[in-house]
């Protein structure tokens, strides 16, 4: 059976599902930069008896780029839920015969080519490019440049979801509507992105137990560091979206917004570095005060970003 010829798009800023989306979109020559329009965001849940978790488990980088892919770039992704292994095999085979990729989602603990195989449970996505004699040819753009093989029977009994992917007929992209949607997602939540950043700043200022936050994790996978790193990456991706959009519309408000977003991305990176630094200090309170000052500055600049883009969409 003919193998789909697809090259991976690798970028450390992508999470695995985004890497899959971008790789397929580029293969189809779609405007994949528009996927980054939903990357801006941040969420924080206050510590209380209902949420006694560590800070790293109460913040989220806010990325929502799994939403509205069809509206954004004309790529329709449909998830097919089935516990029937024969149906799973038939679906994958059918898609490959049509020359269409499909997406597998499974627990990385059971995925032989994932770095945390047999070590950690987390959701992972990769692309199916072909099937021959019950062996799947896979593309995992998050981690690998080259194809990986996995026996289809290996998936039997695992919690696996398959998604089909196809182009859809959408009208010409409305860049203004995409920016409007990005703005709306910051304020339509129970707690806005901006209030979340402010509340996060207050909690850091009051002091955090950084050793507990990092305990048991390699530094880059500790939830607090992971979320902060991805918050910075998402600002960078949002800047890429704005830059691409401005190449189409050439607007001074978007140009100004790009500069603000780049500054904010740098500040989030500084916050991450300072929090890591605090783990090596006996009395880190002065450093926590400094981090909270950065966060309040981010709060103000992200509000300014919102205001600047609002002037564009009026």
């Amino acid at each position: 059976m003919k193998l789909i010829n697809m090259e991976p798009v690798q970028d450390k800023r992508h999470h695995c599902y985004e890497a899959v989306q971008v790789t397929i979109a580029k293969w189809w020559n779609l405007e994949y930069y528009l996927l980054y329009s939903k990357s801006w965001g941040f969420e924080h849940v206050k510590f209380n008896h209902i949420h006694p978790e560590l800070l790293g488990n109460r913040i989220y980088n806010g990325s929502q780029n799994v939403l509205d892919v069809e509206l954004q770039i004309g790529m329709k992704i449909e998830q097919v839920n089935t516990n029937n292994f024969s149906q799973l095999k038939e679906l994958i085979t059918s898609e490959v015969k049509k020359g269409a990729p499909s997406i597998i989602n499974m627990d990385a603990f059971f995925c032989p080519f994932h770095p945390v195989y047999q070590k950690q449970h987390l959701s992972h996505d990769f692309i199916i490019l072909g099937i021959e004699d019950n062996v799947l040819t896979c593309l995992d753009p998050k981690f690998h440049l080259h194809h990986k093989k996995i026996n289809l029977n290996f998936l039997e009994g695992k919690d696996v979801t398959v998604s089909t992917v196809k182009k859809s007929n959408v009208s010409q992209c409305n860049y203004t509507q995409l920016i409007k949607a990005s703005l709306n997602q910051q304020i339509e939540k129970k707690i806005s992105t901006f209030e979340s950043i402010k509340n996060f700043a207050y909690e850091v200022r009051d002091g955090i137990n950084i050793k507990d936050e990092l305990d048991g994790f390699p530094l880059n996978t500790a939830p607090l560091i992971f979320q902060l790193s991805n918050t910075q990456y998402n600002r960078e991706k949002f800047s890429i979206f704005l830059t691409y959009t401005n190449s189409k519309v050439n607007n001074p408000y978007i140009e100004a917004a790009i500069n603000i977003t780049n500054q904010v991305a740098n500040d989030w990176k500084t916050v991450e570095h300072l929090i890591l630094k605090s783990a090596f200090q006996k009395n880190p309170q002065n450093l926590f005060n400094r981090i909270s000052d950065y966060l309040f500055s981010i709060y103000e600049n992200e509000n300014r970003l919102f205001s600047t883009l609002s002037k564009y969409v009026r």
Side-chain angles (χ1 to χ4, degrees):
M1 198 174 295
K2 188 175 180 180
L3 194 67
I4 297 169
N5 185 20
M6 186 184 299
E7 295 296 323
V9 177
Q10 286 200 315
D11 190 320
K12 67 179 182 179
R13 293 171 293 201
H14 293 157
H15 56 65
C16 62
Y17 189 61
E18 185 176 31
V20 163
Q21 287 181 314
V22 168
T23 293
I24 296 173
K26 187 175 182 182
W27 176 61
W28 271 329
N29 295 315
L30 301 176
E31 295 180 286
Y32 70 87
Y33 291 133
L34 303 182
L35 290 170
Y36 302 150
S37 69
K38 286 295 184 83
S39 63
W40 179 24
F42 186 79
E43 297 172 23
H44 169 274
V45 176
K46 289 184 178 180
F47 177 87
N48 53 41
H49 68 284
I50 300 174
H51 294 285
E53 304 94 346
L54 293 170
L55 176 57
N57 294 317
R58 290 183 287 106
I59 64 170
Y60 174 59
N61 59 77
S63 175
Q64 297 185 47
N65 53 350
V66 299
L67 304 177
D68 303 328
V69 174
E70 184 175 12
L71 175 64
Q72 289 168 288
I73 63 171
M75 187 167 73
K76 189 175 182 64
I77 300 177
E78 291 185 317
Q79 192 175 88
V80 180
N81 295 309
T82 177
N83 293 321
N84 186 299
F85 182 68
S86 295
Q87 290 179 352
L88 182 77
K89 178 179 179 179
E90 184 179 342
L91 176 61
I92 292 173
T93 303
S94 172
E95 292 302 297
V96 170
K97 282 182 178 178
K98 292 187 292 188
S102 51
I103 300 170
I104 292 282
N105 173 268
M106 67 181 296
D107 188 341
F109 186 88
F110 300 111
C111 183
F113 44 82
H114 195 287
V116 301
Y117 175 58
Q118 298 290 300
K119 296 177 184 177
Q120 186 177 347
H121 293 280
L122 52 87
S123 179
H124 185 57
D125 301 272
F126 54 89
I127 306 167
I128 302 299
L129 301 179
I131 180 171
E132 193 73 43
D133 297 329
N134 245 29
V135 175
L136 299 175
T137 298
C138 311
L139 184 63
D140 187 348
K142 173 63 180 175
F143 297 110
H144 302 287
L145 288 171
H146 305 293
H147 296 163
K148 296 295 177 180
K149 303 283 187 178
I150 186 172
N151 194 293
L152 182 61
N153 294 330
F154 183 78
L155 301 179
E156 189 169 10
K158 309 289 194 306
D159 187 10
V160 175
T161 301
V162 181
S163 296
T164 60
V165 190
K166 63 182 179 182
K167 286 185 183 179
S168 60
N169 294 320
V170 294
S171 57
Q172 187 175 5
C173 174
N174 188 320
Y175 301 103
T176 302
Q177 286 301 113
L178 285 180
I179 290 179
K180 213 176 257 191
S182 298
L183 293 173
N184 288 340
Q185 82 177 26
Q186 310 314 318
I187 57 176
E188 288 180 341
K189 296 170 287 192
K190 185 176 180 181
I191 301 177
S192 72
T193 292
F194 314 113
E195 288 303 303
S196 282
I197 295 170
K198 188 194 290 185
N199 291 336
F200 178 44
Y202 286 134
E203 184 164 348
V204 172
R205 188 180 64 184
D206 291 341
I208 58 178
N209 191 328
I210 188 62
K211 288 185 169 53
D212 283 354
E213 296 286 342
L214 303 180
D215 187 44
F217 296 96
L219 285 183
N220 62 331
T221 64
L224 178 58
I225 304 306
F226 177 82
Q227 294 298 346
L228 289 174
S229 180
N230 279 286
T231 299
Q232 181 231 339
Y233 287 158
N234 284 342
R235 297 324 186 257
E236 290 181 2
K237 289 183 290 190
F238 192 64
S239 177
I240 291 170
F241 158 70
L242 291 175
T243 301
Y244 179 79
T245 298
N246 205 42
S247 72
K248 304 294 183 181
V249 301
N250 191 23
N251 183 275
Y253 289 123
I254 297 181
E255 185 69 37
I258 293 167
N259 293 330
I260 299 170
T261 308
N262 289 336
Q263 177 60 55
V264 164
N266 289 333
D267 287 345
W268 277 112
K269 188 64 176 176
T270 300
V271 166
E272 179 192 346
H273 284 163
L274 290 176
I275 283 182
L276 280 172
K277 184 178 179 180
S278 72
F280 303 97
Q281 296 197 346
K282 289 183 178 180
N283 298 301
Q285 187 56 52
N286 287 338
L287 199 53
F288 289 150
N289 292 336
R290 185 179 168 196
I291 295 167
S292 67
D293 288 343
Y294 265 100
L295 288 167
F296 283 121
S297 176
I298 289 171
Y299 162 79
E300 292 173 358
N301 280 329
E302 295 213 2
N303 267 294
R304 190 158 60 95
L305 173 61
F306 185 94
S307 175
T308 302
L309 288 176
S310 295
K311 293 173 184 176
Y312 165 72
V313 300
R314 282 174 191 163

